[in-house]
Amino acid sequence: MVTTGDSQPTKHQEVGHKSLLQSDALYQYILETSVYPREPQAMKELREVTAKHPWNLMTTSADEGQFLNLLLKLINAKNTMEIGVYTGYSLLSTALALPEDGKILALDINRENYEIGLPIIEKAGVAHKIDFREGPALPLLDQMVKDVEFHGSFDFIFVDADKDNYLNYHKRLIDLVKIGGVIGYDNTLWNGSLVAPPDAPLRKYVRYYRDFVLELNKALAVDPRVEICQLPVGDGITLCRRIS
């Protein structure tokens, strides 16, 4: 929280308050100036519906949704995968960015959450691009890795799921993304906790997953198969471009 000139505190209005910016007012400025005015109506509607859900902290922030949408257009993505869907805000952002014949393989253990956003996705006219599969991702990924037809078949893969499996996902996804394709790992700055002292007061879930995120970041930093860029967008996103 910061204070304005009249000593009145300002707080993020964004669901989840996922910005790592020290100034709440500056983040609100970004949202109100560059994000919300360009946010598609369907994404705005889904964001507002998700805000009412008790687990809304899990949603992708609006600025990150905008970033993903533009990134997918820049790399001309057509065949994509998303691991961790929740209500589908980032999924909708992806679907809107893909061409009419684009495809998203969407994996999540909870179909009920996905169905919260599904009517909005359908109304936006992009539901036909989504192949939703309910259940753990790793067994399906293992099947895909065994089938050479899937090797190098994805242009973009977005991972926003169980942090304790991020390295397990990476070991499989590196074969499935094409050379020149991109994998995006979300939450790689993990609430800013990665540089917190050992005795810092952290929420239990933040402390539990912190070591897994640290492990992922170290592994990606030395992986010769990818070029990486870690960005302080949302709760941190690391982009990995496969080069070999």
Side-chain angles (χ1 to χ4, degrees), residues 50 53-59 84-88 108 110 113-114:
T50 303
H53 193 270
W55 301 343
N56 61 44
L57 186 66
M58 293 169 53
T59 192
V85 172
Y86 186 40
T87 62
D108 200 289
N110 190 322
N113 288 335
Y114 168 62

Side-chain angles (χ1 to χ4, degrees), residues 49-169:
V49 167
T50 303
K52 301 172 184 177
H53 193 270
W55 301 343
N56 61 44
L57 186 66
M58 293 169 53
T59 192
T60 299
S61 62
D63 53 324
E64 186 175 9
Q66 183 186 60
F67 170 75
L68 291 172
N69 183 274
L70 183 57
L71 174 65
L72 287 158
K73 293 173 181 174
L74 289 171
I75 66 174
N76 295 313
K78 185 175 180 179
N79 191 38
T80 71
M81 183 191 308
E82 181 161 330
I83 302 176
V85 172
Y86 186 40
T87 62
Y89 187 80
S90 57
L91 187 65
L92 177 57
S93 176
T94 299
L96 290 170
L98 297 184
E100 186 63 20
D101 59 345
K103 297 296 181 184
I104 313 166
L105 177 60
L107 311 178
D108 200 289
I109 60 172
N110 190 322
R111 185 177 184 91
E112 184 178 345
N113 288 335
Y114 168 62
E115 290 182 344
I116 293 172
L118 184 56
I120 298 172
I121 293 171
E122 290 174 336
K123 187 168 65 172
V126 293
H128 66 283
K129 302 179 185 180
I130 300 169
D131 177 10
F132 181 86
R133 309 280 187 92
E134 183 179 21
L138 286 175
L140 179 58
L141 295 179
D142 284 336
Q143 292 177 23
M144 296 173 72
V145 169
K146 292 177 183 177
D147 188 343
V148 294
E149 179 183 346
F150 290 108
H151 285 204
S153 63
F154 289 91
D155 304 310
F156 180 78
I157 302 172
F158 183 58
V159 184
D160 183 12
D162 42 333
K163 316 309 171 194
D164 46 347
N165 269 320
Y166 266 27
L167 265 182
N168 290 324
Y169 292 141

